[in-house]
Amino acid sequence: MMIPDSIPTTASEGEKTLYGVLRDRLPDDFLVWHEPRVSDRYPDFIILGSTFGLLIVEVKGWYPRQIITANNNFFEIRRKQGHTSRIERQKSPLRQGHDYLTAVLDKLKSYPILTQHDGNYKGKLAFPVGVGAVMSNITEAQARCKDKDKDIYSLLEKPQVAYQDEMRAWMKWGERELISRFQAMFTIRFSFPALSDEQIRTIKGVLHPEMKIKEVPATSKSAPSGIKLPSGSSVIVGLDIEQERMARQIKDGHHIFAGVAGSGKTLILLARARALANRLLEHRILILCFNIPLASYLRSVLHGDDQNPQYRERIEVRHFHNWARSLMGRLPNLQEFNNNDEQYNQFLGEQVLSILQQQPPDWKWDSVLVDEAHTFSPNWFRCCVAALKDPIKGDLMIVSDGSQSLYKRQSFKWKSVGIQAQGRTKYLTLNYRNTQEILTAAWNIVKPISKGETSVDDDITFPIVKPSAALRHGSKPVLHRVSSKVMAVEALVKQVQQLSESGYAPGDIAIIYRWKARSDRTLLKGMIKQLNDLGLRTYWITESDKTKLNYSVKIPGVRIVTALSSLGLEFKVVLILWVEQFADCCFPDQEKSALARRQLYVAMTRAVDELHLFGSGSMAILDELELTGAAI
């Protein structure tokens, strides 16, 4: 498995040759990264295998005549440029590789899941790590040529180093022969139990923290059988290989990612932003979305990373209206447009576009990433293109899911708003967030409005991508049917208390409602008081515009949020209060019904492990949930 899945054209010929060898000759269960970022350094290749270990390989394309002097630490290399030449002092490839390795060894050892827990090697890594080098333009015979100032072979000896003639032979070798050759590059080699999937994921997370999602407690299955882990051991959960590949694709032009709820669209967007900020030092990145809480969430995740201050410096996160205000100075009043959202948004886009078109390129962004793009008005995408320093070749990433289109928007084609993404659309069908039971229940809600819209045709702007499967199973969603709204609140409070007693932290739990009528506000405040009296801190995200704007993942408490504002967020447990508020799911007006079903779908798919729905009355939507088996 190669990351990236093709080698950049800027790579050296030696790197391209070795990339092809590793891709074609190593087994499928090996992972190989080309030029990943490791603690602000960029090794040429990292090879990882469950029964192999971790090997860093440096490739040098120096010719014998270029080497002026050499020692164990540095080589002096003559570089020609036109009719002039200069002398460069470069690290020995083996020292360079060891510097990369040293940068991550302590981090790897900080995870008990990766270390030995007894014997003479207690605290050491449970798998071998090593450094090798490939001299792609020097043969072994040339390296052995005696020269007192540049005795190359004595500094770069086999088997830790391979030379040009050997590398060319690798193209015909079998996988066993090639693995044995790379194993010979390890200066310390020992037998070890095959690394578990969670150990591999944790190693990946240490090497590439921008691809990390979270840490979770280790279990008995996290390490090979027979190994007892100390209490407090954790495992890193990160993007899978395909998601990581997508996040690392730093190519020119416009790209569209259409995926189901829970497919990791936002995670890929965050990882891509981090990778860009880490790799391209002067890169300016703008992340845009529609929802205020989602912008606040993304900002708190990125700007709250104290170990990576470059994210605050290089990545700007705004919801569209806030971005428009920063450009215009003030926003027009919606009442001036008779409270017509479509007209208001159209005007807003026109004003922002006019300002951007007058700005010099230096004021603009190298990359624009749009999350939950299906919530945008059509002409806002023209603004996204105009915000790029290079509107045609600039890096524009658009992430969407037609089944989560929560607002009435005019239909359009990508070409009509300046998006040139033909052949650069990817579809994500696997659901990583929800259990199969939650996904099935939610999909049953939008399935009636998805017929004929689940095409993966590039001509459909926001296709409804049908989920292929969820990767986990769990308990079925539970529908709590009670006699009144008051009883729904009482039942919900009891359920939250039970969830807390079973081990869920308040921040793992979200209460989602559709709206708060004046008569409901008293009930909501009463619910919050009951939860607080039980010692369960609450965090009402959508209490006001101010609380939405200041939402942070670091603030504890049971989340309370509307269905609309929950878009893009996720929680271990979701409790949907007053499901009867979604009664228009079953109305004859198809447009209203579709919007309501998508809102309910969004609310349901925020749940990672458990989903509870609370409703009263004889509403058709409650009957449908029961009859379709969506809830019990």
Side-chain angles (χ1 to χ4, degrees):
M1 301 292 287
M2 308 295 294
I3 302 170
D5 56 6
S6 61
I7 192 161
T9 55
T10 53
S12 69
E13 289 304 313
E15 289 173 29
K16 290 176 181 176
T17 300
L18 183 56
Y19 183 98
V21 168
L22 298 174
R23 179 195 60 207
D24 299 337
R25 299 295 169 183
L26 286 180
D28 292 342
D29 60 345
F30 271 62
L31 285 169
V32 178
W33 290 269
H34 173 253
E35 283 199 343
R37 175 181 179 265
V38 177
S39 298
D40 295 318
R41 296 176 172 90
Y42 297 93
D44 290 331
F45 290 93
I46 294 180
I47 304 172
L48 176 63
S50 61
T51 58
F52 173 80
L54 175 71
L55 182 68
I56 291 173
V57 180
E58 280 299 308
V59 180
K60 293 299 180 186
W62 304 330
Y63 290 91
R65 63 181 180 274
Q66 287 183 277
I67 301 173
I68 308 302
T69 61
N71 58 44
N72 281 319
N73 293 318
F74 293 98
F75 281 57
E76 287 190 339
I77 306 297
R78 179 183 285 113
R79 298 286 191 190
K80 279 194 174 183
Q81 195 169 21
H83 297 292
T84 62
S85 64
R86 67 182 189 279
I87 306 299
E88 290 183 357
R89 192 167 185 253
Q90 295 195 17
K91 287 182 181 179
S92 159
L94 293 180
R95 175 178 171 178
Q96 194 172 356
H98 280 293
D99 285 349
Y100 297 144
L101 194 58
T102 301
V104 297
L105 275 179
D106 287 342
K107 293 179 181 177
L108 289 168
K109 290 176 184 176
S110 68
Y111 286 86
I113 188 178
L114 302 179
T115 62
Q116 302 181 56
H117 302 294
D118 49 37
N120 295 333
Y121 300 102
K122 184 177 180 180
K124 301 289 186 181
L125 289 177
F127 55 95
V129 294
V131 171
V134 173
M135 309 304 290
S136 61
N137 288 322
I138 300 176
T139 65
E140 184 178 340
Q142 289 171 328
R144 288 182 181 274
C145 178
K146 295 297 182 182
D147 188 316
K148 63 179 181 178
D149 291 325
K150 48 181 181 180
D151 185 2
I152 300 173
Y153 190 83
S154 66
L155 301 173
L156 302 174
E157 291 188 1
K158 294 176 69 174
Q160 200 173 6
V161 178
Y163 289 92
Q164 183 192 60
D165 38 346
E166 183 183 1
M167 182 183 70
R168 287 178 175 172
W170 290 350
M171 290 186 264
K172 297 180 180 179
W173 284 16
E175 63 181 41
R176 288 186 181 180
E177 193 176 7
L178 188 63
I179 291 171
S180 295
R181 178 62 186 92
F182 282 119
Q183 284 175 333
M185 290 185 175
F186 289 93
T187 53
I188 298 176
R189 180 78 191 166
F190 54 89
S191 60
F192 63 101
L195 296 170
S196 68
D197 289 343
E198 293 192 3
Q199 285 177 308
I200 292 287
R201 286 197 289 268
T202 301
I203 295 169
K204 285 171 53 184
V206 172
L207 294 176
H208 316 295
E210 65 269 27
M211 302 297 156
K212 175 180 172 180
I213 299 173
K214 59 186 176 182
E215 289 190 25
V216 298
T219 68
S220 58
K221 296 181 180 179
S222 298
S225 59
I227 296 177
K228 187 176 181 181
L229 294 172
S231 61
S233 299
S234 61
V235 172
I236 294 178
V237 178
L239 300 185
D240 70 12
I241 295 300
E242 191 57 35
Q243 291 173 321
E244 183 177 347
R245 279 175 171 168
M246 291 178 185
R248 289 187 182 279
Q249 283 177 339
I250 305 174
K251 296 180 180 178
D252 293 340
H254 306 168
H255 298 267
I256 295 171
F257 293 77
V260 300
S263 58
K265 300 184 299 296
T266 297
L267 296 175
I268 293 171
L269 182 143
L270 284 171
R272 183 172 174 79
R274 292 187 187 106
L276 287 165
N278 288 336
R279 195 171 183 84
L280 305 170
L281 302 184
E282 302 301 323
H283 213 71
R284 289 189 66 209
I285 303 152
L286 175 65
I287 296 178
L288 292 173
C289 61
F290 181 78
N291 275 8
I292 298 174
L294 178 56
S296 301
Y297 164 75
L298 297 174
R299 191 161 44 246
S300 71
V301 168
L302 291 167
H303 295 179
D305 187 342
D306 296 331
Q307 294 183 344
N308 292 282
Q310 70 273 21
Y311 298 158
R312 287 191 292 273
E313 298 165 6
R314 299 171 193 161
I315 305 173
E316 186 176 352
V317 185
R318 294 189 182 260
H319 65 276
F320 190 89
H321 289 78
N322 177 254
W323 183 49
R325 184 187 290 111
S326 72
L327 296 169
M328 297 168 62
R330 60 175 292 275
L331 292 178
N333 194 316
L334 182 59
Q335 292 179 348
E336 298 172 22
F337 298 84
N338 298 317
N339 292 316
N340 186 308
D341 282 332
E342 283 191 81
Q343 291 182 14
Y344 179 85
N345 290 332
Q346 176 72 21
F347 175 81
L348 201 63
E350 291 169 356
Q351 296 301 302
V352 170
L353 182 61
S354 176
I355 293 169
L356 290 169
Q357 288 173 337
Q358 298 174 47
Q359 286 185 340
D362 288 348
W363 291 17
K364 297 184 180 182
W365 290 265
D366 299 279
S367 295
V368 176
L369 315 181
V370 183
D371 199 12
E372 308 293 358
H374 45 271
T375 55
F376 272 36
S377 288
N379 70 342
W380 292 4
F381 293 104
R382 290 189 178 277
C383 302
C384 297
V385 174
L388 289 165
K389 289 179 180 178
D390 186 337
I392 298 174
K393 294 184 179 180
D395 181 41
L396 176 61
M397 176 183 185
I398 295 173
V399 170
S400 73
D401 176 11
S403 59
Q404 299 184 67
S405 298
L406 306 182
Y407 304 93
K408 184 179 178 181
R409 301 288 189 241
Q410 293 178 348
S411 61
F412 67 98
K413 302 295 183 187
W414 287 121
K415 285 184 181 179
S416 70
V417 293
I419 306 295
Q420 304 295 330
Q422 291 79 14
R424 287 178 290 194
T425 299
K426 292 188 178 292
Y427 300 94
L428 314 175
T429 61
L430 273 179
N431 180 296
Y432 294 86
R433 177 193 300 145
N434 313 124
T435 62
Q436 185 63 54
E437 290 74 14
I438 291 172
L439 179 62
T440 299
W443 183 249
N444 282 338
I445 293 298
V446 292
K447 189 163 57 176
I449 61 169
S450 66
K451 293 176 181 176
E453 297 183 51
T454 55
S455 168
V456 290
D457 185 346
D458 285 359
D459 203 37
I460 297 176
T461 309
F462 298 124
I464 295 178
V465 182
K466 183 179 180 180
S468 58
L471 300 181
R472 299 180 298 117
H473 282 277
S475 57
K476 286 186 177 181
V478 180
L479 175 62
H480 305 257
R481 293 193 78 161
V482 293
S483 58
S484 67
K485 282 190 168 185
V486 175
M487 293 297 293
V489 169
E490 295 295 329
L492 182 143
V493 169
K494 284 184 180 179
Q495 187 63 53
V496 173
Q497 188 176 16
Q498 290 176 16
L499 290 166
S500 176
E501 290 171 354
S502 70
Y504 285 108
D508 295 334
I509 303 168
I511 299 168
I512 299 179
Y513 62 98
R514 194 175 184 191
W515 59 62
K516 58 175 186 292
R518 287 186 178 181
S519 57
D520 296 336
R521 191 172 183 87
T522 301
L523 286 174
L524 280 173
K525 287 195 169 184
M527 177 192 72
I528 291 170
K529 184 178 184 304
Q530 288 185 63
L531 291 171
N532 287 332
D533 288 346
L534 290 168
L536 298 168
R537 184 172 175 177
T538 56
Y539 185 6
W540 193 352
I541 300 170
T542 48
E543 183 179 13
S544 65
D545 286 343
K546 184 177 180 180
T547 56
K548 287 194 285 187
L549 190 61
N550 295 324
Y551 174 53
S552 171
V553 291
K554 294 185 177 181
I555 299 175
V558 175
R559 273 67 175 134
I560 303 169
V561 62
T562 62
L564 288 175
S565 290
S566 72
L567 184 66
L569 307 179
E570 67 174 46
F571 313 94
K572 288 186 179 179
V573 183
V574 166
L575 303 97
I576 301 178
L577 182 61
W578 302 325
V579 180
E580 62 270 17
Q581 289 185 336
F582 294 92
D584 46 344
C585 285
C586 301
F587 281 11
D589 186 319
Q590 291 186 357
E591 189 173 54
K592 285 185 178 180
S593 174
L595 288 174
R597 286 181 179 274
R598 288 172 186 149
Q599 286 188 32
L600 182 54
Y601 172 78
V602 165
M604 294 171 73
T605 53
R606 299 311 93 194
V608 175
D609 296 325
E610 291 189 42
L611 174 62
H612 297 264
L613 304 98
F614 299 82
S616 61
S618 56
M619 298 294 179
I621 184 59
L622 297 175
D623 296 335
E624 181 181 325
L625 285 167
E626 288 186 337
L627 289 171
T628 59
I632 58 172

